[in-house]
Amino acid sequence: MNTLALQQYLDFTYIAAVVLFILAIKWLSSPVSARRGVLAGEIASAMAIAATLFNPELVQYKWIVISLILGAGVGIPLGMVKMTAVPQRTALSHAFGALSAALIGIAEYYVGTTPVSRFQMGEIGLEVIIGSLTFTGSLIAAGKLQEILPQRPIVYRGQNIVSLSVLGGALGLAVALVVNPAHAFLFPIMIVVALTFGVLLVTPIGGADMPTVISLLNSYAGFSAALLGFVLNSKVLVVAGALDGSSGFILSVIMCKAMNRSFTNVMFGAFGQVATGPAAAQEARPVKSASPEEAADILAAASKVVIVPGYGMAVAQAQHKVRELYDSLSKRGVDVRFAIHPVAGRMPGHMNVLLAEADVPYDRLMEMDDINGDFPQTDVSLIIGANDVTNPAAKTDKSSPIYGMPVLDVERSHTVMVIKRSMNPGFAGIDNPLYYMDQTLMLFGDAKAFVSNIVKELGHG
Amino acid sequence: MPADFISNLYVFILAGFVGFELIKRVSPLLHTPLMSLTNALDAIVVVAAIIITGRHETRLTVVLGTIAVVASFSNMVGGFFITDRMLRMFKSGKSKQS
């Protein structure tokens, strides 16, 4: 077969792969067809890799084979992590994706058989900058999620000016390289500056903003792959990168909307700093608390219960106990549903995955907009490790830092029960008036232990 | 402006629109698997990494290419694997009883 004909076979294989990529995402739209989507993606990727191995440009296979084996060796354990570790695994995979896109751009720059044109230099420069900053930014995010690094935002005076100047520096170096591609010594400096910016970008962002940051890094990783497609003139990369990039982008927009905040606010706002002041003043206000026995009695007498899970449920690994509670109440004929706020947890969809892992049927998991109207007919709302997403101050108190954020209307239900370690304010340090309301009972303790005690009591009764 | 750039831009914009329309329809229930699946699809950059490695031009490009293959192929393998694991867990109330 001559080279030209072979090239056409390769192109057709890539086109088929691209079609399957699009179908993969289409099938993911519903849990019924979603696994077919994974299969489509796997077939497409396998086809594209197999075709690439026939590329006539390849002259040496040793390192390809070694690196594929190593890649599988790293990838399989990363695919087997516990569901509670999914947010950090996802951040790590953004880092890997961006790293590989950046490295290929760098290699392309140094191949040097033909001098790069100014236009190519611009493409490579931008691609390597985005890839590099996404790499370090995602590593920091993974470190925060794994709790190797402090989860609270780390901020200092003049931070935004410093960060933006570093980004400006990286872009300036790229422009200098476009103006004079002969100044090759600037290229590694540009990479280091971009890597530094990635660190500066994510360090000041913490906890509750993680779902947005993860989505944003996802989008950057995708767009760096798409840009690499431009550099290499590879349409399959352009398509895969555009799909990944737009997915991350849409998720970031959804996350921002769910917090009523703008992109700029997430990037430069350092959420956790906003309201440390008023938190100190509220300790004296009276709250009502209840024991597991009392909580079990109230739940057993209810006919409609809504459980609101949050990051605290993930931290306490309470999802399996929560499912036992669900089973126990369902057996008694209680209608139990789960209300999932879009930003509950540390990444989009985090709570759904944990509850699915614990075997809660997904048709019991309700989105905020679908369940908010049902709270007035709800006998008990049980809040497990969620705070800000249930805070009625977001609707009424204009001075609250979360004013305007869409929240779950739990205070409309007849009884509200909140499982919480202590009266310490939540991550953002914002007081929650819900806890002082007449219909609210505080259940103090570890989420897992407390739910487990409720289940025991229900078993006795 | 090179002709390749223009045709790539067409592809990019059209794929972006298709992605936007499809992803809008993905249920929030599946946002975590969506992210891990798109990550795995994005790992198709492995084909570019394979070409860089296999062209065997300079020691530097082989080293960079090899690391890039490891990083992207591990993303691909791990991404598909964990997405499928997650999706297997999503069961509806009806299918659970049957």
Side-chain angles (χ1 to χ4, degrees), chain A residues 119-149:
Chain A
F119 193 83
Q120 277 174 306
M121 186 61 239
E123 286 179 334
I124 293 180
L126 197 59
E127 194 271 314
V128 171
I129 288 176
I130 297 182
S132 305
L133 73 89
T134 308
F135 172 58
T136 47
S138 303
L139 283 184
I140 298 284
K144 281 181 181 244
L145 290 164
Q146 183 68 34
E147 294 178 26
I148 303 168
L149 297 170

Side-chain angles (χ1 to χ4, degrees), chain A residues 48 87 96 107 122 151 153 166 171 184 222 231 250 296 330 333 339 354 357 417 420 451 459:
Chain A
F96 281 6
Q151 289 212 49
V166 173
L171 293 171
V231 172
I250 294 171
S330 300
L354 288 181
E357 183 203 15
M417 296 200 282
K420 206 169 173 333
V451 174

Side-chain angles (χ1 to χ4, degrees), chain A residues 21-22 24-26 28-31 34-35 38 41-42 45 48-49 52 55 57-60 63-64 67-68 70-72 74-76 79-81 83 86 89-90 93-94 96-97 100 103-104 106-108 110-111 119 123 214-215 218 221-223 225-226 230 232-233 235 237-244 246-247 250-251 254 347-350 352-353 356-357 359 361-363 365 367, chain B residues 1-2 4-13 15-58 60-96:
Chain A
F21 281 173
I22 291 172
I25 295 181
K26 182 180 155 58
L28 197 71
S29 62
S30 145
R35 287 190 69 198
V38 178
E42 286 169 344
S45 301
I49 291 178
T52 306
N55 189 311
E57 288 177 65
L58 303 183
V59 292
Q60 228 259 28
W63 286 104
I64 296 176
S67 56
L68 285 175
L70 280 175
V74 176
I76 291 170
M80 289 177 15
V81 298
M83 286 302 146
V86 161
R89 194 215 77 92
T90 306
S93 79
H94 296 334
F96 281 6
S100 111
L103 291 179
I104 299 165
I106 295 168
E108 196 61 21
Y110 283 114
V111 168
F119 193 83
E123 286 179 334
I214 294 260
S215 310
N218 179 6
F223 288 133
F230 279 86
L232 303 174
N233 192 23
K235 305 261 184 308
L237 293 196
V238 173
V239 172
L243 292 174
D244 193 28
S246 55
S247 164
I250 294 171
L251 291 175
I254 295 174
M347 71 178 291
H350 192 180
N352 301 306
V353 168
E357 183 203 15
D359 247 358
Y362 65 76
D363 34 22
L365 311 178
E367 288 168 44
Chain B
M1 210 170 279
D4 284 344
F5 174 77
I6 300 296
S7 69
N8 285 327
L9 194 60
Y10 269 113
V11 172
F12 178 76
I13 290 171
F17 266 109
V18 171
F20 190 82
E21 291 301 323
L22 288 179
I23 286 150
K24 247 183 11 189
R25 276 183 235 156
V26 175
S27 151
L29 187 68
L30 297 179
H31 276 169
T32 299
L34 168 69
M35 208 180 259
S36 58
L37 181 72
T38 52
N39 256 326
L41 299 182
D42 190 54
I44 196 68
V45 293
V46 74
V47 301
I50 288 175
I51 292 173
I52 290 279
T53 311
R55 281 202 304 220
H56 214 75
E57 280 158 324
T58 66
L60 178 70
T61 61
V62 174
V63 171
L64 295 177
T66 304
I67 302 173
V69 175
V70 175
S72 48
F73 193 58
S74 67
N75 248 1
M76 185 178 276
V77 173
F80 283 129
F81 192 19
I82 200 158
T83 310
D84 200 54
R85 268 181 63 211
M86 283 192 253
L87 292 175
R88 252 181 305 179
M89 299 179 326
F90 280 92
K91 294 177 207 101
S92 80
K94 285 172 208 150
S95 69
K96 218 182 144 189

Side-chain angles (χ1 to χ4, degrees), chain A residues 141-283:
Chain A
K144 281 181 181 244
L145 290 164
Q146 183 68 34
E147 294 178 26
I148 303 168
L149 297 170
Q151 289 212 49
R152 280 206 169 261
I154 298 163
V155 288
Y156 54 86
R157 203 176 267 276
Q159 186 163 38
N160 292 336
I161 298 167
V162 173
S163 304
L164 287 176
S165 333
V166 173
L167 175 63
L171 293 171
L173 287 164
V175 171
L177 279 161
V178 171
V179 174
N180 192 347
H183 286 164
F185 68 96
L186 292 176
F187 191 73
I189 304 177
M190 181 195 79
I191 298 170
V192 173
V193 175
L195 291 170
T196 313
F197 177 69
V199 176
L200 298 177
L201 180 72
V202 180
T203 314
I205 305 173
D209 280 332
M210 271 309 174
T212 318
V213 175
I214 294 260
S215 310
L216 213 52
L217 290 167
N218 179 6
S219 149
Y220 292 170
F223 288 133
S224 70
L227 268 168
L228 183 66
F230 279 86
V231 172
L232 303 174
N233 192 23
S234 160
K235 305 261 184 308
V236 67
L237 293 196
V238 173
V239 172
L243 292 174
D244 193 28
S246 55
S247 164
F249 184 74
I250 294 171
L251 291 175
S252 328
V253 172
I254 295 174
M255 294 301 115
C256 280
K257 273 197 189 142
M259 302 179 81
N260 189 37
R261 301 174 66 207
S262 66
F263 268 136
T264 30
N265 193 256
V266 173
M267 300 314 290
F268 305 113
F271 197 33
Q273 295 298 303
V274 183
T276 37
Q282 37 84 16
E283 294 297 333

Side-chain angles (χ1 to χ4, degrees), chain A residues 258-259 308-311 339-345 368 372 383 385-392 394-395 402 405-411 432 434-435:
Chain A
M259 302 179 81
V308 181
Y311 183 57
I340 315 283
H341 193 279
V343 294
M368 176 165 63
N372 254 355
I383 299 164
N387 184 359
D388 296 336
V389 299
T390 63
N391 193 336
K395 289 176 285 192
I402 56 167
M405 169 172 159
V407 289
L408 292 159
D409 298 334
V410 286
E411 77 283 357
N432 192 341
L434 179 70
Y435 303 157

